[in-house]
Amino acid sequence: MADWKVRPASDADVEAVAELRAVVMRDDLERLGRYDEQRVRQRLRDGFDAAHTWVIEAAGAFAGCVALRPAGDTRWLEHFYLAPHAQGRGIGSAVLRELLERCDRDGVPVRLNVLQGSAARRLYERHGFLAESEDRVDVFMVRLPSP
């Protein structure tokens, strides 16, 4: 696994994250007939909250991000993107494992949605997420806290 770390995000990170989102989601959004070059970036800008977001760095460079947003008695895993050069190296699994351990200690479930047909679904299933509901675009998943 590569040398990586996470750091708290700042408002200055929003454009790098919006660009990364456009890159990593493009294939899935095109497959679903939902890719729009401006909208994919603007949706990130509209939902970006630095207070609940971390930037992932690998070998000292920007490699991704992840957000864990509190919502009542649950947490929403959002904006989990890894740059193509950082994928397949165990970084995503390690970051997810750390976040889930934190949620387990707090005794809270974690929810997310993933695009239909996305390879990311397999990552989430390996970490205990189960499909709760789905529509033609998204699969909504939940992971209950482990004891």
Side-chain angles (χ1 to χ4, degrees):
M1 182 180 352
D3 175 34
W4 65 273
K5 68 177 185 173
V6 296
R7 66 164 173 81
S10 73
D11 290 338
D13 293 310
V14 69
E15 290 306 316
V17 173
E19 187 59 34
L20 178 59
R21 181 179 197 266
V23 169
V24 300
M25 292 188 68
R26 184 175 189 138
D27 288 346
D28 283 333
L29 289 171
E30 284 180 340
R31 179 179 41 76
L32 294 168
R34 313 245 334 156
Y35 184 78
D36 176 293
E37 192 169 320
Q38 277 71 43
R39 186 170 184 252
V40 70
R41 291 169 177 85
Q42 193 59 47
R43 285 195 65 181
L44 182 283
R45 291 178 192 117
D46 292 345
F48 186 80
D49 181 354
H52 302 293
T53 304
W54 294 269
V55 168
I56 302 163
E57 295 178 342
F62 176 80
C65 69
V66 63
L68 194 62
R69 178 178 54 85
D73 64 348
T74 195
R75 302 293 179 270
W76 278 91
L77 183 70
E78 299 173 323
H79 309 307
F80 192 11
Y81 312 120
L82 274 180
H85 73 272
Q87 294 176 11
R89 297 167 52 193
I91 297 169
S93 288
V95 169
L96 184 56
R97 194 169 29 258
E98 281 190 15
L99 292 174
L100 294 175
E101 286 171 1
R102 186 179 314 166
C103 292
D104 287 346
R105 283 191 302 272
D106 293 342
V108 295
V110 180
R111 297 181 184 285
L112 60 83
N113 61 292
V114 62
L115 291 172
Q116 287 282 4
S118 172
R121 181 175 178 172
R122 289 189 303 276
L123 169 71
Y124 299 133
E125 289 172 339
R126 282 194 309 269
H127 288 273
F129 284 87
L130 300 172
E132 199 171 36
S133 66
E134 49 189 277
D135 59 29
R136 62 181 209 81
V137 175
D138 290 304
V139 178
F140 295 87
M141 303 182 82
V142 64
R143 179 188 176 275
L144 299 177
S146 294

